[in-house]
Amino acid sequence: MTTKILLMGKTGQGKSTLGNFLLDRKEFKAMPGLAAVTGVAAKADGELRGLSSSVRIIDTPGLADAFNAKEDLMGDDEGIGELAKGIQLATEDDGGKPGVDILLYVIRAGDRFSRDQALILKYFEDQGHFWDHAIVVFSKAREIGDDEKAQRSYLEKQKLALRCPEALKKLLDRSSGKNILIEACDTSSPYRDQKLEEIVQLMKTIMKRNDGRRYTTELMMKVIENPNLDTKEAVKEEVKKAGGSCFPGDATVFSKDGTKLMKDLKIGDKVLCNNTDFSEVIAFLHYQPTEIAVYLTLDTEQGSSITISANHLVFTAISPESSSMKVQPLLAGEIKEGDSLIVCDEQNQPATSQVTKIHTV
């Protein structure tokens, strides 16, 4: 049976270069620079010294970036198609159980751990058993030093840094004993054999512990169970669903006591629910003020905006210029530029305003 390895991470972190490093040949297109190079999903088969089975390495474009730039992907059929192709490559039947054996999560050492990296990490964690299969690779760590003591010291300092994001602290804690720093992912590196041996040993330990169990996501299982599934549409739906909260914690509401941040609301507070009436907060369906999630911001020509999850309802105006105007609730993810939203004017009265821009935050 083939050992299937999925390369994960944000564009520019060194996924493709790591794939070439492992195979000891240039199979995936990679070059230094800020622009995304891996524009197509790709797989490569080969051998890893120390593993008894052959390996299949899957490099997928935009697996992380899709969740941070969904407004680009929604209109980019080529990008969605390659992302869908990557999912299909990860689910191809190789005679074994569905899914992949190893997840190599690649982070460029020294780079800021961004919000979209935290989001994609949370997405895969929520699918279950992520850390049973994951190895974190800190790439391009030339400045840190090649000895293990210096590398461990670097990771500890990162975790103790005053401004270290909570998501990065969690990653460092959960990947303890399963993270590797690689100075240079090139086949001429003097440390290649040492680092390759470390990675292979971790892979063997993980696969022995999992006893043949592979990592899958709901989307992977849908593709496996339904060969006729439109994978492109399934990917679009998955991207739309990313992030489960309704509003960010710093969204504001009008209360009896004045403007408040959403995260500061308490049960018993009274908030403005239409242009004149206040209603008491009696419960929170979701209260996760530090939750990392993707939100849509809808900007209107009036100058107002709302930041909200894609699956939350907003009220739109159908035929706003006519006497037969109707109010229709739509999911925020279904709103398009040019649609009219119901807003409040300067006198706090209902009005309509066209959406001029939609972007993710």
Side-chain angles (χ1 to χ4, degrees), residues 134-241:
I135 298 171
V136 178
V137 178
F138 290 88
S139 66
K140 306 180 184 180
R142 292 181 180 86
E143 299 82 6
I144 296 165
D146 57 276
D147 67 277
E148 185 175 346
K149 185 176 179 181
Q151 294 172 1
R152 297 300 156 199
S153 174
Y154 166 81
L155 294 179
E156 285 302 314
K157 286 178 181 177
Q158 290 294 302
K159 190 162 63 173
L160 295 173
L162 290 176
R163 303 190 69 170
C164 179
E166 282 300 317
L168 178 55
K169 288 181 182 178
K170 188 166 106 174
L171 178 143
L172 292 171
D173 283 336
R174 294 195 173 182
S175 66
S176 180
K178 294 200 301 177
N179 47 46
I180 291 177
L181 286 95
I182 295 184
E183 300 77 12
C185 282
D186 59 67
T187 55
S188 62
S189 168
Y191 308 108
R192 181 181 186 276
D193 289 347
Q194 173 194 337
K195 293 301 177 182
L196 188 58
E197 185 178 344
E198 287 182 39
I199 293 176
V200 169
Q201 189 55 50
L202 278 176
M203 288 181 180
K204 290 167 73 173
T205 301
I206 287 171
M207 289 189 291
K208 182 178 180 180
R209 187 184 301 133
N210 290 330
D211 193 26
R213 180 169 55 88
R214 284 176 158 176
Y215 176 83
T216 60
T217 66
E218 291 180 10
L219 180 55
M220 287 181 183
M221 292 308 298
K222 286 179 183 177
V223 174
I224 292 166
E225 293 167 2
N226 184 0
N228 297 319
L229 179 72
D230 187 333
T231 315
K232 285 171 65 172
E233 289 303 315
V235 169
K236 284 185 182 181
E237 289 304 311
E238 201 72 12
V239 172
K240 282 182 181 179
K241 291 190 301 183

Side-chain angles (χ1 to χ4, degrees), residues 280-298:
E280 184 177 343
V281 177
I282 59 172
F284 293 101
L285 295 180
H286 308 284
Y287 185 77
Q288 299 165 310
T290 60
E291 178 82 356
I292 298 167
V294 163
Y295 298 101
L296 294 177
T297 294
L298 311 178

